[in-house]
Amino acid sequence: RDQYGDSTLHLAAMATGRNGVAVIKALVDALPTTGPYTKEQLVSARCKNFGNTALHWATLNGNVESCEFLLNAGSRPDRKNRLKQTVLDYAVKYEQPKLKVKYEGLLAK
């Protein structure tokens, strides 16, 4: 983690607006399959400063492909950050209509 508590996956998700999904894919594919944490727990981990998940950061950037990849990797759309915001809240706040519709469908289940 960096000095703000962001993991490499968080940083890659922050850069999806510029770099796309490739780095996220590489990082998620390299996650360990054994150990104290499951892959789903690792991709849903919150950063220490804002409490965002990688999915929050990818949502802020509006990168639909990255968000779908993180969801398929097990990222939980119901995780809340320090301000009690879910990724649906971020999709609304940062005007990401495609992601808003996707998250509404996932969170309604």
Side-chain angles (χ1 to χ4, degrees), residues 9-90:
L9 184 58
H10 292 120
L11 296 171
M14 287 178 204
T16 59
R18 183 178 189 143
N19 298 332
V21 71
V23 176
I24 287 177
K25 283 183 180 179
L27 291 170
V28 171
D29 289 345
L31 289 173
T33 55
T34 60
Y37 301 103
T38 66
K39 186 176 189 176
E40 291 78 15
Q41 289 172 314
L42 293 170
V43 297
S44 295
R46 295 176 359 156
C47 65
K48 295 189 188 309
N49 56 357
F50 296 104
N52 285 345
T53 64
L55 189 56
H56 279 92
W57 291 120
T59 299
L60 182 145
N61 283 304
N63 191 291
V64 175
E65 186 180 7
S66 295
C67 293
E68 288 177 348
F69 181 82
L70 287 166
L71 288 166
N72 290 333
S75 188
R76 291 180 36 206
D78 62 334
R79 296 282 328 249
K80 294 181 180 181
N81 65 14
R82 289 185 191 258
L83 296 176
K84 307 292 185 223
Q85 298 167 318
T86 65
V87 292
L88 175 56
D89 297 320
Y90 259 44

